[in-house]
Amino acid sequence: MESKFKKASDRRVAIFFAEGLEEVEALSPADILFRAGIPRDLVAITPERLVQTSHDVYVRCDRTICDEDFSFDDYDLLFLPGGMPGTLNLKACEPLTEAVKRFAAEGAGTGAEGKQVAAICAAPSILAELGLLEGRHATANPNFQHVLVEHGATVEAASPVVEDDNIVTSQGMGTSVDLGLALVRRLLGEEAAARVREGIVVLH
């Protein structure tokens, strides 16, 4: 089937898939990025491209971090979905966590312009435990917000999405559309985000 993707940006997003992830948290932003024309790859953290989610949905990824030609540096933004045990599996993937730390450091002070990291639901706890949220504003699933606090973050418990410099966090499946639109705005601008927002009929 011919792709309907119309590229509108040279900036690229990697969405990382681990066994047991929450599929909507990954696929909703993936859909929104596609609609905006922002290239994004679904990337498995295991050699197998077919990944089973926490709700027994199977997703076939575009590539894996084990591919010979895979490089984190091909991307401008690394996105970590939540879900259990998906979050634990992401946290156990050392190549990924090392890349996340490097992106957070290299993009520091650049806001939406440089290397960026995004995480949703339980996954912001990974960023907290890596020391990346100390002194920052952030959010997460309510069951994981204490982890952020314990690692020095200021939690904005009422915010669906929190942007602090080059790190973006969000609360869960119900805020995944908000996160997707925030990423579009950061990568492609307000006009693109407004266009996608209208197209998907966001009423609030």
Side-chain angles (χ1 to χ4, degrees):
M1 184 177 69
E2 184 178 352
S3 175
K4 296 180 180 179
F5 180 72
K6 295 181 180 179
K7 185 178 177 182
S9 174
D10 289 327
R11 305 183 78 184
R12 194 171 195 92
V13 177
I15 304 173
F16 293 96
F17 280 65
E19 292 290 322
L21 84 155
E22 209 299 322
E23 62 272 13
V24 175
E25 293 170 3
L27 295 177
S28 180
D31 178 290
I32 288 169
L33 292 166
F34 183 96
R35 291 168 185 263
I38 298 172
R40 84 289 187 270
D41 287 336
L42 313 185
V43 183
I45 65 166
T46 56
E48 300 78 24
R49 294 191 181 193
L50 190 65
V51 177
Q52 183 179 7
T53 74
S54 60
H55 301 111
D56 293 337
V57 174
Y58 288 82
V59 178
R60 184 173 297 279
C61 292
D62 303 302
R63 55 194 319 202
T64 88
I65 64 171
C66 302
D67 292 342
E68 284 188 13
D69 62 345
F70 179 81
S71 173
F72 291 101
D73 290 323
D74 290 340
Y75 300 95
D76 299 279
L77 188 149
L78 308 181
F79 171 43
L80 309 182
M84 281 296 177
T87 296
L88 299 178
N89 291 329
L90 290 177
K91 184 170 69 171
C93 180
E94 186 173 350
L96 175 58
T97 56
E98 288 301 312
V100 166
K101 288 191 290 185
R102 182 164 59 82
F103 269 53
E106 291 179 0
T110 65
E113 300 303 318
K115 295 291 189 183
Q116 300 178 62
V117 174
I120 189 171
C121 194
S125 68
I126 300 173
L127 308 185
E129 291 172 346
L130 292 173
L132 305 181
L133 298 183
E134 185 174 357
R136 292 183 182 259
H137 290 256
T139 195
N141 180 282
N143 292 324
F144 289 85
Q145 291 177 2
H146 70 281
V147 180
L148 278 59
V149 173
E150 291 163 4
H151 289 82
T154 297
V155 172
E156 296 188 15
S159 299
V161 178
V162 177
E163 303 175 51
D164 189 317
D165 192 14
N166 65 325
I167 294 182
V168 185
T169 51
S170 186
Q171 292 206 31
M173 186 189 82
T175 64
S176 59
V177 169
D178 298 293
L179 175 62
L181 291 171
L183 298 183
V184 170
R185 181 174 49 75
R186 291 176 70 86
L187 296 172
L188 200 54
E190 190 66 56
E191 184 178 336
R195 185 182 71 250
V196 175
R197 181 185 176 92
E198 181 181 2
I200 62 175
V201 198
V202 175
L203 300 179
H204 62 275

